[in-house]
Amino acid sequence: MITFGDRLQACRDTAEMAAVGAEIMARTLGLDRAGYGTVDEAMEHVEIERDWTAPGVASVAGRHRFDEFGEVRAGLAQGREVVIHDVTTDPRTARNPGPLLAIGVRALINVPVLEQGRIVALFFLHDRQVRDWRTDKLAFIRNIAERTRAAIERFRAEASRRESEEQFRVFAQAMPNHVWAADANGALYWFNEQVHAYAGTSAGELDGTAWASIVHPDDVGAAGRAWGAALADGTHYETEFRIRRADGAFRWFLVRAEPIHGPNGAVVRWIGTNTDIEDRKQAAAQLERLNENLEQQVEERTRDRDRMWRLSTDVMLVARFDATIVAVNPAWTTLFGWSEADLVGRSFMDLVHPDDAASTAAAAGDLSDGSVIPRFENRYRHKDGSYRWLSWTAVPDESFIHAVGRDVQAEREAAAALALTEEALRQAQKMEAVGQLTGGLAHDFNNLLTGISGSLELLQTRMSQGRLTDLDRYINAAQGASKRAAALTHRLLAFSRRQTLDPKPTDVNALVHGMEDLIRRTVGPAVHIEVVGAAGLWPALVDPPQLENALLNLCINARDAMPEGGRITIETANKWLDDRTARERELPPGQYLSLCVTDTGTGMTPDVIARAFDPFFTTKPTGQGTGLGLSMIYGFARQSGGQVRIYSEVGQGTTMCIYLPRHYGEAEGDDGMPDLSTAPRAEQGETVLIVDDEPSIRMLVTEVLEDLGYTAIEASDAVAGLKVLQSDVRIDLLVTDVGLPGGMNGRQMADAARVSRPNLKVLFITGYAENAAVGNGHLEPGMAVLTKPFVMEALASRIKDLISNP
């Protein structure tokens, strides 16, 4: 047994200890195999790291399942050994001894190792022969197993202690606080690095005596007495004293220590910490100094507040949440003529302008809910009955509203005067622009009217002469001139932002291709045109004529920027605008397509770029430009949900890009010129009322409708039209101009008619969409708008659609 003990002490780990115990048992009893294995929590497997075997006997190291070897674990969980003399006859293994015989086991013993009542391992002994396990042999096995288990437990406990101490050392060194340790008698023997770094000492320099040398002399006595009391009672130690820093300065520390008790309850050591509380001490001292003269400070601040209350030119009030005024400053008398006696006890709502009462009551409600009102404006009544504007800042406390109001009457009046001045300036600028436009408009319209009247005159002459072969030429000339006149009015309406857009899914590449010849003729031979259309370009939902007009204007501007000639590139592309890029272009993120016109001209300065979209701004000489073109393009792009951007550098040229939202759908094809002969015919008895103050329009619309089988009724103004609508005459549709004489417009007439005819269908025909007349663009079901001039087939189709749809 002495040899066994020596071998156990020489072991370096628990596995080696188990192997030594197994070897001693096997050699002493003359067995073939012995070993030690760990058992899992479910007692299903045993893990054998190593075993001792006699010569010629194979090792069984590895993982084994108990159930494969019969009932070899029966009783182990209760701490009993499993002793089997012969596996072929023992009822626990006799049913299937094959697996045990296969590994050379005829007799066996399993000895359990328990920890806290649970089996965690076992010793096993195997022999290839039937064995008579006598009582003395079993006692020997139990003795060796118990001594081995105890040695393993001691080894583990010592390893755990060393690990715990190392963890404490690492933790203590990592802490920012001072950490120290003392033995049971209070002698300090260990300090962490923070102590040495603070005190300027090195390891070994500090002990119980040296430690006292770095404590402030005034604090040594009290600290020592407190430490002695804690040692005597074995209780928690806590006190405050000053410790000297390496540079000689002292700082206050909170010093605490806890006793560590041994198994018998006696104190075996102390663990302490020092926490720097210098800042807290200074703050407490400062607070104490402040408290000493707090009454004086309160008195001074009260005088300051009262002085501000009396001398402030801003009105101040304190009121309850029900609006009852509790206190006011003298500024109320200066500004409004009300004395303190007039106001205290009165509701401030009595003084608020009736138009501001609702918003003021809402603000007071927010204050009663605890909200702060950083800025709020309303009007208060002067004692003479007039009103003045105030800008309020208000905060609530538990019981009152505290508010300060600044007089902003002069600022309000100045802002109103400025707005009137700006409006007058804008009107003057428009009148100047109209004056600049007059000559050009007269020239253009006179040319167009000459073309229309001349064509009609020649048409009449040729018809009276019976010469009918060339009539199409004059008809086409008149129609062409009328279309150009319509385009001119559309351009003017685009500038004023009052045009009625007719957006359609549009193939922009096809539109550019269709405009290419016109653009080439317009810019002249000195300018080279290059068109770069993106493959797979997305459709856009836009008004095609307006986009054509915008493109033509951009090309004309580009031509004018190249007086000596140059190159214009028209390019389309698909664009995906992320959050940042969209913000730069003032657009929502998403998919867009761009139409860009680039020239090689003079370029623009940053100042010109900043003002380029302003109405009436132009860099061209007087008489050569009105400054409406880019403004019109900007208005069209914004109405279409897009944007226009300028990219330019002086001397390098300019790129103008129109960004339009992608349309998710197919673009419409070119339907060609409509033919009235294909227009839908009327059903039997369908009647249309036409109201327009222009006789020629009534005549044309009436003739077209009668040719298509409709019954047409005419009226020259809203009064006459309303009489018909209020009669019993059948009316399937009302076709009316928006602007009518006599004090009632077309929309008002339609609304009045719908009182008695709620299902009346209405088609407004107008030279421009007057937003006020049609309800700011809002049309009720059964209403539609058709913009003049229009082709008659379009009128017929729109009428048929309105009448046919329920």
Side-chain angles (χ1 to χ4, degrees), residues 39 43 66 72-82 110-114 118-119 121-123:
V39 178
M43 283 193 65
F66 281 114
V72 295
R73 61 181 172 183
L76 291 177
Q78 288 76 39
R80 301 193 302 272
E81 297 97 346
V82 176
N110 290 337
V111 181
V113 177
L114 301 179
R118 185 181 72 83
I119 181 171
L122 60 81
F123 285 97

Side-chain angles (χ1 to χ4, degrees), residues 34-35 93 103 152 167 196 209 262 284 403 417 429 473 481 494 543-544 567 569 613 623 632 718 774 800:
T93 56
I103 60 173
I152 289 174
Q167 286 179 349
H196 296 300
T209 303
Q429 289 174 329
R473 182 172 57 175
D543 186 324
R567 175 189 297 273
T569 302
F613 295 122
M632 178 202 71
V774 297
K800 185 63 177 178

Side-chain angles (χ1 to χ4, degrees), residues 153-229:
E153 284 300 311
R154 286 195 301 275
F155 184 90
R156 286 176 176 170
E158 182 64 21
S160 177
R161 183 188 63 79
R162 290 195 298 270
E163 180 181 4
S164 176
E165 289 180 349
E166 179 63 14
Q167 286 179 349
F168 167 76
R169 187 191 68 80
V170 172
F171 174 74
Q173 293 291 10
M175 284 186 65
N177 288 7
H178 299 174
V179 183
W180 48 270
D183 61 21
N185 298 319
L188 282 72
Y189 66 87
W190 184 87
F191 303 89
N192 71 346
E193 292 297 330
Q194 279 68 28
V195 175
H196 296 300
Y198 176 84
T201 59
S202 58
E205 290 186 31
L206 291 178
D207 55 22
T209 303
W211 171 254
S213 67
I214 64 173
V215 178
H216 194 283
D218 295 345
D219 301 333
V220 170
R225 288 191 296 274
W227 182 231

Side-chain angles (χ1 to χ4, degrees), residues 22 107 133 153 164-165 170 194 214 319 347 447 593 684 690 698 700 802:
W133 304 106
E153 284 300 311
S164 176
E165 289 180 349
V170 172
Q194 279 68 28
I214 64 173
S347 172
N447 284 343
L593 61 148
Q684 181 66 36
I690 304 104
R698 293 202 308 273
L700 290 172
L802 282 169

Side-chain angles (χ1 to χ4, degrees), residues 24 70 110 120 180 184 249 315 397 419-420 456 580 622:
I24 292 295
N110 290 337
V120 296
W180 48 270
V315 295
D397 61 17
L420 291 174
L456 293 175
R580 180 183 62 81
T622 303

